[in-house]
Structure formats: structure tokens, C-alpha cells
Amino acid sequence: MIRLSTFENRKFDTIKNISQETFDEIQLDSEIIKVAYTQFVIFKNLQMNGNEYSEFLEKISDLHIGTVDIKKAHSQELLFQGNRVILNLLSSFKFFLDNGEAHLKRKYGKDSEESKEFRELTSNEFDNVFAYRFLIKLRNYSLHLGFPLQGLELKAEKNIETPVKTTGSLQLSIDLDLIKKEKSLLGKIVYDDIKNLEVDIDLKPLIVDLSTSILKIQKFIFTKQKEEIENAISNLETFAGKYKTKTNDIKVFNNLERNGNEVTFNAYHIPFEIITEFKRYIKNWC
């Protein structure tokens, strides 16, 4: 006997008995959701590192010159924090790219149209977006030579009308002379991008541009699966019907066996928490 049940407050309540065929369909739709989520969670990890970077950016921006603690602003601890959040962001970006390509290859085949289009998209971003190709290479540079930032410089524009209200920000700049020495790590294309530059490279606008590329790539990956995901969501919500609430779980129990007072069974969890997350993403981004 296979039972569709609710689970809440450590209590199971049977909704109805279902057939093996229906259970197979539930599993199939649930696995579509779960497999898609193995990629989506990598994007979430990248988003979290992006949020941490944004929080650090707020910490070092709009500093009041009259009250800022210069010693603290130029401390090794603050420099370490900056390097850590930047390297985490760049590493999770590369992880996101590699995982996205592997996900599409596993799902559709390495020679599939989906995989081909992904390679074309990322190649196009590399060719046309300086931030994309530079930050990929900066991540490689950091893996070999350590954290990318050598120091934090306070930059401010004087408030002519009220000098005492002058504010400034710490800069996230890559030492141009230092990075130019590592042509082999940068590759010819990126080295040619920077070889004629005369000022250090400001990471702040580059990371903004990279965010645009990231969202474009994630939307591509998700859109390829969107119809399949939406169909699976619709099927599972139909199976659960009115019995799914905001606070309970829906599970399928099978292989029920009794041995005296002892009962054993398998419980299959329908991933409604992932469904909620996907529906929110579809509404806001797709």
C-alpha cells in the first residue's frame, strides 16, 4: 500500500492511497525539480557571495573624512576582508560557469543544442565584456599568486561649499604594474586589454558589469528547463491539492512492514520548499 500523507508537528495524516503508477509520476516530477535545483543552488551560492561583497562595499563607501579612522581604514584586517569577499565572489563565479556547463551536458548531452548555445553565450560574453574576461583571469591570477588587492586607498572629492562634509570611499584597485608582470596567467587577450593602460584597474564597475553577465547566463540555463519545471510543479501541486499548506510537508509512504509492535517504511519527500523558491524566481526573473 502506498500512501500520500501530510507531515506536521511530528504527526503524519494520510490523505489517500495511491497506485504505483501515480507514485512513479510523483517521483519523476520531483526528480525534475531536484535535479534542476542542483544547478540553481550553485547560483544561490554565487548570489550570497555577491551580497557579502555588496555589504563590504557599503562598509567602505561614503566615509566622512572628518571622522573616519584612517588607521583602521588602512589596516591589514580590512584589506584581508576585502580580498576574501572578492576572491569568494570570483571563485564562486567560475564554479557557477563550470557547473552550469556540466549541468546542461548531463541533462541534454555534450553535443546537444542546449550545450552548444551555452558555450556560444559564454564565449560571446568573454569576447564582448571586458569585466567578464578580466575577472575570470584575475581569479586564476589569485589562485597562483594570492589575494588580488595590495592595499586600500581612500579617495575623496572635496565638498567646495562645505569642506567639513567631504566624504570618500576606499578603492578596490588592482595594481597595474604588478599584474602586467604575469602575462602567462592573464593570457594574450586580457594582457592586450591592459598593456596600454596607465592607471590601476578599479574593480567596482567591473563587478557591476559581471553581475549583468551572471544574470544573463543564469536566465539562459533556467529558461532551457523552465517548461519542464513548470509542468512538474503543476503536476505535484495537483497531486497534493488542498492538503498542502504553508506549514506542512507532503510525503509518500511505501514498503510498509509490520513486525510485532515495530513498523518500518520508506518516506519519499515531495520538494515543495524548492517549488516555492522556483515559483518566486520565475515570477521575479523569468
Side-chain angles (χ1 to χ4, degrees):
M1 184 178 296
I2 306 174
R3 295 175 179 175
L4 189 66
S5 302
T6 64
F7 179 67
E8 188 173 15
N9 298 323
R10 302 176 67 181
K11 181 182 178 183
F12 294 103
D13 288 315
T14 299
I15 298 173
K16 57 186 175 181
N17 295 332
I18 61 175
S19 67
Q20 180 65 53
E21 181 180 2
T22 299
F23 180 37
D24 291 342
E25 292 173 354
I26 289 174
Q27 282 188 303
L28 178 61
D29 288 318
S30 295
E31 291 308 307
I32 288 171
I33 300 296
K34 292 176 182 179
V35 169
Y37 196 70
T38 62
Q39 183 280 321
F40 190 77
V41 76
I42 305 302
F43 172 61
K44 280 184 62 176
N45 176 65
L46 176 53
Q47 282 186 309
M48 291 177 65
N49 284 318
N51 291 339
E52 189 177 13
Y53 163 78
S54 297
E55 291 169 2
F56 179 78
L57 206 60
E58 290 181 7
K59 185 178 180 179
I60 63 171
S61 300
D62 297 324
L63 303 174
H64 195 283
I65 300 303
T67 58
V68 65
D69 185 341
I70 298 297
K71 183 177 180 180
K72 184 176 181 180
H74 290 164
S75 69
Q76 286 298 309
E77 177 58 29
L78 194 63
L79 177 61
F80 168 73
Q81 291 180 30
N83 270 313
R84 185 181 62 80
V85 297
I86 289 170
L87 187 55
N88 282 347
L89 177 61
L90 299 185
S91 296
S92 59
F93 169 55
K94 186 62 167 61
F95 181 24
F96 164 75
L97 290 179
D98 292 345
N99 177 267
E101 182 173 8
H103 176 75
L104 293 176
K105 284 180 178 178
R106 287 194 308 272
K107 187 171 182 63
Y108 301 107
K110 66 178 182 178
D111 298 321
S112 64
E113 195 63 28
E114 291 83 359
S115 296
K116 179 183 176 182
E117 288 178 15
F118 179 85
R119 291 191 294 271
E120 289 174 349
L121 172 60
T122 53
S123 178
N124 186 64
E125 292 299 299
F126 185 92
D127 291 342
N128 294 291
V129 182
F130 169 69
Y132 183 98
R133 61 180 176 266
F134 177 77
L135 292 174
I136 284 179
K137 296 299 183 179
L138 183 62
R139 177 259 185 190
N140 295 343
Y141 170 94
S142 300
L143 289 181
H144 287 87
L145 297 177
F147 285 133
L149 298 178
Q150 300 302 306
L152 298 175
E153 176 188 0
L154 182 62
K155 183 178 181 180
E157 293 186 10
K158 188 175 181 179
N159 187 319
I160 302 299
E161 296 181 358
T162 315
V164 294
K165 293 184 178 181
T166 297
T167 59
S169 299
L170 293 174
Q171 302 303 293
L172 303 177
S173 300
I174 299 299
D175 187 319
L176 193 60
D177 292 332
L178 194 62
I179 199 169
K180 279 182 180 180
K181 296 176 182 179
E182 304 299 335
K183 182 177 180 180
S184 62
L185 291 176
L186 297 178
K188 183 180 185 305
I189 294 174
V190 172
Y191 180 79
D192 287 346
D193 284 333
I194 69 171
K195 68 181 181 182
N196 295 322
L197 297 181
E198 296 180 355
V199 296
D200 291 344
I201 299 171
D202 185 0
L203 289 182
K204 293 178 184 177
L206 297 188
I207 291 176
V208 172
D209 290 344
L210 181 66
S211 299
T212 301
S213 293
I214 289 169
L215 292 177
K216 184 187 297 185
I217 293 167
Q218 176 58 27
K219 186 174 182 179
F220 170 85
I221 296 170
F222 193 86
T223 299
K224 289 299 176 183
Q225 309 167 86
K226 183 171 177 284
E227 183 177 354
E228 183 181 44
I229 291 170
E230 288 181 323
N231 287 337
I233 289 173
S234 177
N235 291 338
L236 292 171
E237 288 182 331
T238 299
F239 283 133
K242 65 181 180 179
Y243 296 100
K244 179 69 184 84
T245 69
K246 292 182 179 180
T247 58
N248 70 354
D249 290 325
I250 303 293
K251 297 181 183 292
V252 178
F253 293 93
N254 66 335
N255 297 329
L256 182 67
E257 293 184 5
R258 295 182 181 275
N259 185 8
N261 293 327
E262 199 173 282
V263 178
T264 60
F265 54 85
N266 293 330
Y268 185 84
H269 177 69
I270 302 178
F272 276 100
E273 69 280 10
I274 299 177
I275 288 174
T276 299
E277 198 168 342
F278 275 164
K279 289 174 71 173
R280 188 184 306 120
Y281 178 75
I282 292 169
K283 179 180 178 180
N284 293 333
W285 298 103
C286 293

